[in-house]
């Protein structure tokens, strides 16, 4: 089955620690995205990558970092510089073109709680 | 640039009643429009999309939406809801030829028995 997996489902972190959230896809999609979801605010784009070894900041990139060394993988690191990291994090992927078929497919999410 | 406004943050409705979730957008270029559904503690699932052609779009689970270019709206409807439709619904827009998808703040649909 093709799809997107995120791990772990729940993650607890102490203040001052960096944590890395995993995202893997086997849809052969070029583009991958990370979103943050807070109640009542919808989805906000953190980072996106259109191709391997390249990525761009989204609307709320401060305190986060990413890498894209493989087409299938797009891990997100939440650093200690992120002032309010408790949130639900969603990874997505799509084909990369400006045409009509690049709707985004989403993973199940990771809920991060800072203790 | 595009923006999306979902006009209702919460919509309570009784089972088997009809429902409409409202979405307005703004854009200086032609757009593709999407509705996604999110069940608690899960990712988003595509319900339906408008790309071009017929303005009435049918999706999964009996939902449909109508694209109204003059009113810049893309409202989601279902003639008879079930308890299992309780979820959060997101409207999204992307400019044709563009890459970034903009999501609305979401509408929480609560279906009561």
């Amino acid at each position: 089955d093709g799809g997107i997996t995120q791990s772990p489902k729940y993650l607890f972190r102490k203040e001052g620690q960096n944590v890395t959230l995993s995202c893997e896809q086997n849809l052969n999609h070029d583009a991958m995205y990370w979103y943050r979801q807070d109640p009542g605010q919808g989805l906000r784009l953190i980072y996106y990558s259109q191709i391997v070894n390249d990525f761009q900041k989204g609307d709320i990139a401060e305190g986060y970092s990413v890498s894209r060394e493989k087409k299938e993988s797009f891990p997100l690191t939440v650093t200690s510089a992120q002032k309010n990291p408790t949130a639900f994090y969603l990874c997505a992927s799509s084909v990369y073109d400006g045409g009509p078929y690049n709707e985004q497919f989403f993973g199940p999410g990771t809920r991060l709680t800072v203790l | 640039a595009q923006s999306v406004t979902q006009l209702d943050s919460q919509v309570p409705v009784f089972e088997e009643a009809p429902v409409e979730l409202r979405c307005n957008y703004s854009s200086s270029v032609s757009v593709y429009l999407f509705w996604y559904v999110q069940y608690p503690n899960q990712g988003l699932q595509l319900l339906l999309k408008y790309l071009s052609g017929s303005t009435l779009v049918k999706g999964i689970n009996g939902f449909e939406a109508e694209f109204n270019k003059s009113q810049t709206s893309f409202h989601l409807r279902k003639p008879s809801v079930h308890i299992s439709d309780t979820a959060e619904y997101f409207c999204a827009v992307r400019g044709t030829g563009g890459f970034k998808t903009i999501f609305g703040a979401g509408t929480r649909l609560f279906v009561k028995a």
Side-chain angles (χ1 to χ4, degrees):
Chain A
D1 281 339
I4 302 176
T5 57
Q6 291 186 243
S7 61
K9 188 169 177 65
Y10 298 96
L11 186 57
F12 298 90
R13 188 194 95 173
K14 292 182 180 178
E15 282 195 29
Q17 287 182 335
N18 294 354
V19 289
T20 297
L21 282 58
S22 169
C23 177
E24 304 275 334
Q25 55 99 358
N26 61 3
L27 299 168
N28 199 32
H29 286 165
D30 287 308
M32 297 187 74
Y33 315 77
W34 274 105
Y35 292 93
R36 171 180 171 138
Q37 185 178 18
D38 297 282
Q41 295 196 45
L43 277 67
R44 292 185 289 168
L45 184 63
I46 304 172
Y47 269 97
Y48 63 97
S49 168
Q50 297 166 324
I51 198 168
V52 174
N53 292 323
D54 186 47
F55 48 83
Q56 313 293 332
K57 291 182 179 180
D59 302 316
I60 56 165
E62 186 176 349
Y64 299 97
S65 66
V66 293
S67 63
R68 186 85 189 277
E69 296 176 2
K70 297 187 299 181
K71 187 174 184 177
E72 308 80 38
S73 178
F74 191 41
L76 174 74
T77 297
V78 184
T79 75
S80 56
Q82 169 49 234
K83 290 184 171 55
N84 185 19
T86 294
F88 191 51
Y89 290 88
L90 287 161
C91 179
S93 71
S94 73
V95 300
Y96 170 45
D97 61 43
Y101 298 110
N102 63 345
E103 74 241 28
Q104 295 182 17
F105 293 80
F106 285 82
T110 292
R111 186 166 297 281
L112 173 63
T113 302
V114 173
L115 303 173
Chain B
Q2 291 81 43
S3 68
V4 179
T5 302
Q6 292 186 241
L7 296 156
D8 307 291
S9 59
Q10 295 185 70
V11 174
V13 63
F14 284 103
E15 194 175 19
E16 298 183 8
V19 71
E20 178 180 81
L21 306 184
R22 299 180 294 165
C23 173
N24 287 353
Y25 71 92
S26 68
S27 177
S28 56
V29 300
S30 297
V31 295
Y32 303 125
L33 292 156
F34 308 87
W35 275 100
Y36 286 86
V37 60
Q38 183 182 35
Y39 299 102
N41 291 311
Q42 295 186 27
L44 277 66
Q45 178 184 2
L46 184 68
L47 267 181
L48 49 80
K49 59 187 176 185
Y50 171 78
L51 304 178
S52 65
S54 173
T55 58
L56 183 63
V57 180
K58 293 191 183 298
I60 62 172
N61 300 342
F63 284 93
E64 63 182 31
E66 185 153 19
F67 170 56
N68 187 319
K69 188 174 181 179
S70 63
Q71 304 214 348
T72 61
S73 68
F74 190 54
H75 301 333
L76 181 71
R77 302 187 183 101
K78 186 170 183 178
S80 176
V81 295
H82 303 291
I83 298 285
S84 59
D85 292 322
T86 294
E88 189 152 22
Y89 293 80
F90 291 93
C91 182
V93 63
R94 179 167 59 83
T96 59
F99 180 74
K100 196 174 173 184
T101 300
I102 307 299
F103 290 84
T107 296
R108 191 172 298 275
L109 175 64
F110 178 58
V111 181
K112 301 177 283 187

